[in-house]
Amino acid sequence: MAEYKLQYFNMMGRAEPARLIFAYAGVQYKDERIEKSQWPEIKPTTPHGKLPVLHVDGKQLAQSRVIERYLGKVFGLAGENEWETAKMEELQACVEDFLIEIQPWFKEQDNAKKVEIFKQLIESTIIPFITAFENILVTNGTGYFVGDKISYADLAIFHIFWFMNSKILPGALRKYPKLHEFVEKISAIDSIKQWINSRPKTEA
């Protein structure tokens, strides 16, 4: 069995989908959380000066989405064929686009400006994103986003909507029955539930 270590800051952020993959797969790893004060010293040791970094038997792999895909393949949570693999990558790209679009809201420190940015994002970005992913679940008809069983893409998407429903727009998913059902279903998986209940409590 390989030895795994996941390095990231003490937050959910871009490392949380990988942590959820480890939790679901039941694979042990070192969840190394870097404090901001440690970062200047650690940064030069990373492949591209960014986190997260996955260490596998001493080798390093960077970029959060690449890490998710790698773990998905290793733990049997990737596509059954090339088409499913491509669709999972497509959904990852959509999530990434969404995170880039809402980044100004996360970074803004002025509360008044933050509220104004959020009002704009609701109509231009957030509701279209939720609606699109609700429609994907309706179209696929299996309760999952690709194929008929859980994948690493489902866990990455779950985190976005769990965070949205818990932190950004509490209860908003009740208007989207398939997404609400999806988040409730993944949350109820024993290993995922245990991780959510035991993980360090952070705001983001």
Side-chain angles (χ1 to χ4, degrees):
M1 174 69 76
E3 290 190 6
Y4 298 99
K5 178 173 75 173
L6 185 65
Q7 281 182 308
Y8 194 60
F9 301 108
N10 186 25
M11 59 190 299
M12 289 179 282
R14 290 184 173 274
E16 200 60 22
R19 295 179 183 131
L20 288 165
I21 293 168
F22 275 119
Y24 181 80
V27 174
Q28 295 295 314
Y29 72 105
K30 183 177 180 181
D31 183 19
E32 185 174 282
R33 294 178 179 243
I34 308 300
E35 297 300 328
K36 298 286 184 174
S37 60
Q38 299 174 287
W39 178 230
E41 181 181 351
I42 291 172
K43 184 175 181 178
T45 70
T46 65
H48 307 290
K50 295 181 179 180
L51 294 177
V53 173
L54 176 69
H55 297 250
V56 184
D57 291 335
K59 297 178 289 186
Q60 293 183 322
L61 184 66
Q63 296 294 332
S64 57
R65 301 306 176 192
V66 175
I67 291 169
E68 291 162 29
R69 289 196 291 270
Y70 171 78
L71 293 176
K73 290 175 183 177
V74 171
F75 300 152
L77 297 172
E80 294 291 321
N81 51 55
E82 291 298 324
W83 180 257
E84 287 191 0
T85 298
K87 293 300 289 185
M88 290 175 190
E89 292 177 4
E90 173 192 317
L91 293 173
Q92 275 189 316
C94 290
V95 169
E96 195 63 28
D97 287 345
F98 175 73
L99 291 177
I100 291 169
E101 288 184 51
I102 67 172
Q103 204 168 52
W105 176 72
F106 274 108
K107 289 186 172 182
E108 182 58 60
Q109 298 298 311
D110 182 275
N111 284 335
K113 290 181 181 178
K114 200 175 183 74
V115 169
E116 191 59 35
I117 291 171
F118 189 74
K119 287 179 181 177
Q120 295 172 4
L121 286 172
I122 281 286
E123 295 301 325
S124 67
T125 303
I126 296 175
I127 290 178
F129 180 76
I130 297 174
T131 302
F133 275 71
E134 171 78 359
N135 290 338
I136 292 168
L137 281 177
V138 170
T139 300
N140 197 36
T142 65
Y144 300 106
F145 279 91
V146 179
D148 58 3
K149 63 181 183 180
I150 195 169
S151 72
Y152 75 86
D154 287 301
L155 292 171
I157 294 164
F158 162 76
H159 172 62
I160 289 294
F161 286 107
W162 178 91
F163 186 82
M164 188 182 295
N165 201 49
S166 302
K167 304 282 188 177
I168 301 177
L169 291 167
L173 292 188
R174 293 189 180 280
K175 297 179 182 178
Y176 302 88
K178 291 297 181 183
L179 271 175
H180 183 259
E181 180 184 343
F182 171 78
V183 170
E184 291 291 304
K185 176 175 65 179
I186 303 299
S187 297
I189 296 170
D190 286 344
S191 56
I192 298 297
K193 184 177 181 180
Q194 183 177 350
W195 169 247
I196 289 173
N197 289 337
S198 65
R199 67 188 172 190
K201 306 306 178 190
T202 59
E203 286 302 310

